Amino acid sequence: MKFAVAFGIAAMLLSSTAPAASVADGVKADMPQLMTIYRDFHSHPELSMQEVRSPSILAAEARKLGFQVTEHVGKTGVVAVMKNGPGPVLLIRADMDALPVREQTGLQFASTATGKLPDGTVTSVMHACGHDTHMTTWIGTARRLAAMKDQWSGTLVMIAQPGEEVGMGAKAMLDDGLFTRFPKPDTMIAFHDSASLPAGVIGVTDGYALANVDSVKIDVKGVGGHGAYPQNTKDPIVLASRIVTALQTLVSRENDPSQPAVVTVGMFHAGTKQNIIPDDAKLELTVRSYTPETRKLLLDGIKRIARGEAIAAGMPEDRMPVVEVSDDMYTPSTFNTETLSTHLLSLFQQHFGKDRAVASKAVMGGEDFSRFWLADKTKQSTIFWVGGVPKAKWDAAGGNVEKLPSLHSPFWAPDAEAVISTATEAMTIAALDVLKKS
Ligand SMILES: [Zn+2]
Ligand SMILES: [Zn+2]
């Protein structure tokens, strides 16, 4: 509580004195250059854990600004440290990876890049999640904070993280000593561009902000045979269909309705021909929740239902479904700590006005930014949203996001200027506040 009051007073001072104005002016002056950097990132997207060009640009920029820079942390991550007197340690994170999506925005600087997925498939690559705006903001923020070094005290740790889209990068950086080889942060902040807010509007969520994301595969075994003689088979298509239907009751009948949960069967593959009963059917699911308890209920329930339906179908013990919960693809839910998230919202509201900084709902997407706070839950952590939907498009859709391209869409073309300028300003005033001189 005391913490919150102290924060509040500092915020009031900040919003009414010179630094706030000079942050806005500094960002404005930097925008033409930052937009050039953004367009370059946008047209050179790189797949997860294969980031080479992007981190080298970020590392070079940070070095030029006087940061101590270490590359290849967690394979391709960058850690840039600026020690500037006594005070807390603040971590600011941007993610760098793009997606296997063929861009269809029609932008002049649209990506025509291709890349190779881990299985060797060649794919188009696009910054369809807006991580190019994150990297550009990282540079913009580093520039501001380096230029305003006399106005803060403490240690700034700016990290560029690989592999967010595959949920591997944050873990890779932590495993590579992010919190042991470098100053350990007291406060961690990140932002993500948003396809659900108009351009330049900031959204801050208190508490759970993004979900636990689990990927589950079910190999539903059967006993195949001729389609004309079902009595001699155990049909895995019928069994898998029952499993899919029964899974719907996990959320509707077993889960506490006040606890968000999603079970989606996104893939169902079986069979080769109309008159053959196949040997197996394959299902793939995405499973989302916020709390560990709900996550356990869903994952245990999936295993129980798969086995139970197989028993009901008369499947022999050696042909029971195999349920595989992927550890590699698991992303834990992202939690915004109350002290920091409520403080940042009021700080942003004072700086930008209440129209441009709003409390926003939690979503069922995932973010591996969660892992940094989970590594030490005594610390403060928040990820906030910065709206990217161009104003004209937002107005034309009447604010109905279902009519607008989402993140990961080949048509996602944010108002990058609004995202980058807003996020750079927000990140800079947040940093000046956290690292205020005592
Ligand atoms: Zn994404
Ligand atoms: Zn993203």
Side-chain angles (χ1 to χ4, degrees):
M1 198 56 201
K2 200 173 151 200
F3 195 37
V5 171
F7 258 154
I9 292 165
M12 277 157 57
L13 288 172
L14 193 62
S15 65
S16 57
T17 51
S22 65
V23 171
D25 290 346
V27 173
K28 202 171 165 201
D30 227 5
M31 277 312 290
Q33 269 195 32
L34 291 176
M35 286 306 291
T36 304
I37 293 170
Y38 162 73
R39 286 188 284 265
D40 176 66
F41 277 137
H42 187 83
S43 46
H44 296 90
E46 296 172 294
L47 288 170
S48 305
M49 304 310 290
Q50 299 180 37
E51 304 90 340
V52 176
R53 187 178 182 275
S54 308
S56 71
I57 291 170
L58 296 168
E61 175 73 25
R63 248 180 223 119
K64 217 166 56 192
L65 294 169
F67 284 79
Q68 228 173 22
V69 177
T70 310
E71 292 179 75
H72 309 293
V73 180
K75 199 169 176 197
T76 72
V78 178
V79 180
V81 179
M82 187 175 278
K83 289 187 179 159
N84 187 29
V89 179
L90 169 66
L91 178 144
I92 293 177
R93 173 270 212 171
D95 42 8
M96 302 186 285
D97 51 337
L99 287 156
V101 169
R102 191 171 65 81
E103 177 156 1
Q104 293 174 57
T105 57
L107 291 170
Q108 260 187 352
F109 53 93
S111 161
T112 53
T114 57
K116 222 181 236 184
L117 292 167
D119 69 1
T121 319
V122 175
T123 174
S124 299
V125 187
M126 172 192 175
H127 267 299
C129 203
H131 298 182
D132 44 0
T133 65
H134 304 177
M135 289 188 283
T136 311
T137 296
W138 191 93
I139 290 178
T141 305
R143 286 183 177 182
R144 282 305 87 224
L145 291 171
M148 300 175 84
K149 231 179 144 177
D150 58 333
Q151 294 177 41
W152 56 276
S153 184
T155 299
L156 182 60
V157 179
M158 298 201 58
I159 65 165
Q161 183 210 300
E164 186 281 327
E165 296 292 354
V166 292
M168 288 168 70
K171 187 169 184 303
M173 289 189 84
L174 286 165
D175 289 349
D176 201 5
L178 177 63
F179 286 176
T180 50
R181 290 165 55 199
F182 306 96
K184 189 173 172 184
D186 303 296
T187 301
M188 300 164 255
I189 305 180
F191 92 98
H192 203 295
D193 71 326
S194 168
S196 309
L197 285 169
V201 174
I202 296 174
V204 188
T205 312
D206 177 31
Y208 285 110
L210 293 116
N212 285 312
V213 178
D214 279 288
S215 302
V216 180
K217 290 182 179 175
I218 309 180
D219 183 11
V220 181
K221 297 174 191 296
V223 179
H226 199 296
Y229 308 98
Q231 71 275 23
N232 299 331
T233 72
K234 299 280 183 207
D235 189 338
I237 293 183
V238 174
L239 172 54
S241 303
R242 282 191 190 146
I243 292 172
V244 171
T245 312
L247 287 175
Q248 309 309 310
T249 61
L250 274 174
V251 174
S252 69
R253 302 291 83 187
E254 291 190 42
N255 181 53
D256 175 346
S258 68
Q259 294 296 324
V262 174
V263 177
T264 294
V265 180
M267 193 209 85
F268 188 143
H269 284 173
T272 52
K273 195 170 182 288
Q274 86 283 1
N275 62 356
I276 300 172
I277 293 170
D279 271 326
D280 68 349
K282 295 200 188 298
L283 304 175
E284 286 188 16
L285 290 66
T286 189
V287 181
R288 313 264 168 148
S289 56
Y290 290 127
T291 66
E293 294 76 23
T294 307
R295 175 174 184 245
K296 184 171 185 327
L297 175 114
L298 298 176
L299 295 178
D300 287 353
I302 290 165
K303 290 175 195 155
R304 189 194 71 237
I305 285 171
R307 181 174 167 80
E309 291 293 341
I311 291 169
M315 206 59 69
E317 192 59 36
D318 65 345
R319 299 293 290 162
M320 284 294 134
V322 177
V323 179
E324 191 192 319
V325 180
S326 169
D327 280 341
D328 289 352
M329 291 175 74
Y330 167 54
T331 304
S333 57
T334 309
F335 190 80
N336 286 343
T337 53
E338 190 191 353
T339 307
L340 182 65
S341 63
T342 53
H343 173 64
L344 285 182
L345 179 58
S346 74
L347 182 70
F348 295 156
Q349 284 180 334
Q350 286 171 59
H351 183 82
F352 294 100
K354 286 195 170 171
D355 298 350
R356 284 189 60 199
V358 298
S360 63
K361 284 196 307 187
V363 296
M364 277 296 181
E367 241 298 344
D368 69 355
F369 179 65
S370 56
R371 288 195 184 272
F372 300 119
W373 179 73
L374 287 171
D376 184 349
K377 292 199 212 172
T378 65
K379 308 302 184 185
Q380 291 291 315
S381 176
T382 291
I383 186 168
F384 62 90
W385 298 101
V386 176
V389 182
K391 179 142 186 359
K393 288 194 173 159
W394 180 268
D395 291 345
N400 180 355
V401 295
E402 285 171 27
K403 294 183 185 165
L404 295 163
S406 62
L407 296 179
H408 292 199
S409 157
F411 298 99
W412 173 238
D415 178 344
E417 191 149 2
V419 173
I420 293 162
S421 62
T422 305
T424 304
E425 234 177 284
M427 211 49 109
T428 305
I429 63 161
L432 289 174
D433 190 79
V434 171
L435 302 174
K436 63 186 165 283
K437 279 184 162 173
S438 53

